[in-house]
Amino acid sequence: MDHDQFEKTWKQLEQRWEQGFEQLSLEEQQAIALWWLEAETMNGTLNQFFWNSSGDLALIARDGLVRLQQAITLKALDSALAYFGAQYPVDRDQRMDMLEEIEAQHGPDVFTPASRIIQDLPERFVEAAVTDIAQRYAQQTS
C-alpha cells in the first residue's frame, strides 16, 4: 500500500472512530488497537502499552495479529501477555496493580525482550491492518 492510500484510509477510519469506538467494525477496532500497540511500544515498551489506557485494547490487538497472520509479533505479544495469567485485566486499575506485581517479581525490564521484537518491526502489522480496511472500504463503495 502506498503512503497516500494509507493516509486516505487512516483518515476515513479516524472519521468513523469519532463516532465512537464501539460502533466500528471488528476489523477497524483491530486496526486501531494495533496502531496503539505499535505507537506505545515504539515510544516506550510494552510496559507503556499495558500501563496506559491503550492496554485496554491488548486482546483486540492480539486478535488482529491472529487474523492478519502476523506470527512474529503475535509471539512477542503473547510472551508478554503470559505474565498476566489466564485472565488479562482489561480494566486499567486492575492491570496497573498486576503490572506492579509483575515488575516486583520479574524486574522492571520484564517486557523488554518482547518489546524489542515489536520495535524491530519484523512485520508491518499496522500497514497490514490498514490495507485490509482499505479493501473493505472499497468493497462497501462498489
Side-chain angles (χ1 to χ4, degrees), residues 32-98:
I32 290 167
L34 290 169
W35 182 85
W36 276 114
L37 173 65
E38 181 179 298
E40 294 282 29
T41 305
M42 291 300 212
N43 189 47
T45 63
L46 281 166
N47 183 296
Q48 180 172 314
F49 173 68
F50 293 137
W51 188 266
N52 291 338
S53 59
S54 55
D56 296 357
L57 305 177
L59 298 179
I60 295 172
R62 185 193 183 283
D63 289 345
L65 293 171
V66 170
R67 184 177 63 79
L68 296 166
Q69 301 178 3
Q70 304 292 296
I72 298 168
T73 308
L74 175 63
K75 185 176 179 181
L77 180 59
D78 277 349
S79 72
L81 288 171
Y83 287 99
F84 292 95
Q87 294 294 320
Y88 176 80
V90 175
D91 177 79
R92 185 171 181 224
D93 291 330
Q94 291 175 1
R95 191 170 58 253
M96 287 190 300
D97 290 342
M98 286 192 76

Side-chain angles (χ1 to χ4, degrees), residues 83 99-107 110:
Y83 287 99
L99 279 166
E100 289 175 0
E101 292 173 24
I102 290 166
E103 288 182 2
Q105 186 174 2
H106 301 281
V110 63

Side-chain angles (χ1 to χ4, degrees), residues 115-134:
S115 298
R116 295 273 187 262
I117 292 168
I118 294 171
Q119 290 167 339
D120 286 345
L121 285 178
E123 299 162 320
R124 301 284 184 183
F125 55 91
V126 173
E127 185 176 328
V130 174
T131 298
D132 177 67
I133 295 297

